[in-house]
Amino acid sequence: MRRNTVWRPACIGIALLMCGAAWAVDSGVHQDVLRPAGPQAAAVRELWHVLLLVCALVFAIVLAVLALVLHRRPRATAADAPAAPDQPGDADERRARRVVAGAVAGSGLLLVFLIVVSFVTDRALARLSLDGALRIEVTGNQWWWDVRYDDEQPSRIFFTANELVLPVGRPVVLSLRSSDVIHSFWLPALHGKKDLIPGRTAQLALRADQPGVYRGQCAEFCGTQHSFMALQVRAVVPAEYEAWAAQQRQPAAEPAGALAQRGRTLFLSGTCVMCHAVQGTDAAARKGPDLTHLAGRSTLAAGTLPNSEQDLARWIRDPQHYKPGVNMPASDLPEDDLRALVAYLRGLS
Ligand SMILES: [Cu+2]
């Protein structure tokens, strides 16, 4: 019995620690707080390490004291009654008081220490130099991210959705807004979370130092499809970023071929234009993602589907199947109209 009380929690604790360590070594996904790709996330990770270390130590000490107490507990038998409880003023009682007072003081000191460490982390986050920062506005919507790359010259502003491309080594200031409910912007490899509160603008400054693809996720429950509200950052060398941005500033490509041309006509005469924009055409609504360069994105509907021909067709036919409740209606288009629409949208590179 006694062995179990000590060993069982200890074994479970060790098993959990090993799982955590294995996950930290390689989880295969690039949505990882413990593998920061920039200074902000690195500062947050340092804080996490300190918190983990302190809490693990406290936990271990508490367990060790518990084990000791269980080991030394007075043992009553049928023959002799348990000892009478200590009286105030007993030497044992005085010692026990000192131990409790010491533990309370120690806990208080540790808490103060953790506050100081959090404060230092906050300062480190605020110190990021913003010289030459790229400015991007991100608006959370149920359940997708509207992205606007700002510029002093209005003609250089462009829109995209759900996927950001960032130049490595250049600071980025994100202005975060919400158009409906509270969302939370979270790119674990680049920064901690930031809430998007309707009616307010929050700022988040970050820098990606390592090229790579980093996944993010809305981190505040925002309705039924909240878990299908992913975002993605591709950090690339500056030259590649400039080339991408120049391409994004172009109006939509002209449809190549008769099928795609018919697709554009269908798009512009159908319901799609009530919600979507395609630069260079009359479609200019902002209720749904900007589709000007849709074909250049790797996923559809905020990371829900791969951006393939079949999935695009399936999505247009019945978005409610993939994201029930989504703010895009199903369309009962004839098969060849759907093919034409898909041909048009696939050409929007
Ligand atoms: Cu959300």
Side-chain angles (χ1 to χ4, degrees):
M1 241 342 250
R2 201 174 90 231
R3 287 194 167 221
N4 266 348
T5 37
V6 178
W7 285 113
R8 214 177 268 165
C11 290
I12 293 174
I14 290 169
L16 282 177
L17 273 179
M18 283 167 68
C19 291
W23 176 77
V25 170
D26 195 8
S27 63
V29 227
H30 302 259
Q31 183 173 340
D32 195 341
V33 193
L34 298 177
R35 277 195 290 170
Q40 307 297 72
V44 174
R45 182 181 63 169
E46 292 313 306
L47 177 63
W48 150 258
H49 280 153
V50 175
L51 286 175
L52 178 69
L53 190 74
V54 169
C55 295
L57 269 177
V58 170
F59 184 62
I61 292 171
V62 168
L63 279 193
V65 172
L66 180 67
L68 188 75
V69 169
L70 288 174
H71 180 69
R72 290 180 25 184
R73 76 189 191 279
R75 256 150 275 200
T77 60
D80 70 321
D86 293 338
Q87 299 300 316
D90 280 1
D92 274 358
E93 176 69 13
R94 279 206 305 276
R95 204 174 57 137
R97 275 187 187 197
R98 276 202 302 275
V99 170
V100 171
V104 169
S107 308
L109 280 178
L110 275 180
L111 283 178
V112 171
F113 169 70
L114 292 183
I115 290 172
V116 171
V117 178
S118 312
F119 180 75
V120 169
T121 305
D122 226 32
R123 294 281 297 245
L125 291 178
R127 260 202 305 272
L128 184 76
S129 153
L130 300 182
D131 289 346
L134 182 63
R135 295 191 180 262
I136 305 176
E137 279 176 29
V138 177
T139 307
N141 298 276
Q142 283 175 316
W143 292 280
W144 60 283
W145 306 93
D146 196 5
V147 179
R148 180 184 134 123
Y149 278 69
D150 247 333
D151 203 290
E152 274 155 21
Q153 278 170 264
S155 62
R156 287 167 60 85
I157 293 173
F158 63 87
F159 289 86
T160 180
N162 304 321
E163 298 186 8
L164 298 168
V165 175
L166 303 180
V168 161
R170 181 165 164 198
V172 180
V173 177
L174 295 157
S175 298
L176 306 171
R177 292 205 187 92
S178 165
S179 74
D180 38 41
V181 299
I182 301 178
H183 302 273
S184 182
F185 184 91
W186 191 32
L187 278 165
L190 294 173
H191 207 301
K193 300 173 187 174
K194 191 73 151 187
D195 279 1
L196 282 63
I197 316 275
R200 288 209 202 176
T201 303
Q203 298 248 321
L204 195 67
L206 53 82
R207 199 178 72 212
D209 284 345
Q210 288 163 32
V213 179
Y214 309 108
R215 192 180 183 278
Q217 174 74 49
C218 179
E220 175 83 40
F221 181 74
C222 58
T224 49
Q225 299 308 315
H226 154 73
S227 51
F228 290 105
M229 188 171 166
L231 75 151
Q232 182 182 293
V233 163
R234 195 154 55 85
V236 297
V237 293
E240 197 179 337
Y241 164 77
E242 291 302 341
W244 174 83
Q247 152 81 0
Q248 298 293 307
R249 285 183 200 112
Q250 299 298 315
E254 280 298 306
L259 188 66
Q261 227 146 39
R262 199 163 76 80
R264 178 166 71 177
T265 313
L266 284 166
F267 185 87
L268 294 176
S269 59
T271 54
C272 320
V273 288
M274 287 167 19
C275 300
H276 292 287
V278 174
Q279 308 296 328
T281 74
D282 289 342
R286 308 229 67 93
K287 289 262 165 238
D290 190 297
L291 302 179
T292 312
H293 297 288
L294 174 74
R297 301 206 265 274
S298 61
T299 64
L300 294 174
T304 308
L305 293 168
N307 190 1
S308 72
E309 194 169 330
Q310 289 101 328
D311 287 298
L312 181 58
R314 289 190 196 122
W315 170 260
I316 295 172
R317 167 152 300 190
D318 192 7
Q320 302 293 328
H321 176 77
Y322 298 97
K323 285 175 115 170
V326 72
N327 294 321
M328 169 164 159
S331 34
D332 49 358
L333 292 163
E335 195 59 42
D336 41 326
D337 283 4
L338 184 63
R339 272 191 35 238
L341 256 183
V342 169
Y344 171 56
L345 292 173
R346 297 283 294 167
L348 298 180
S349 54

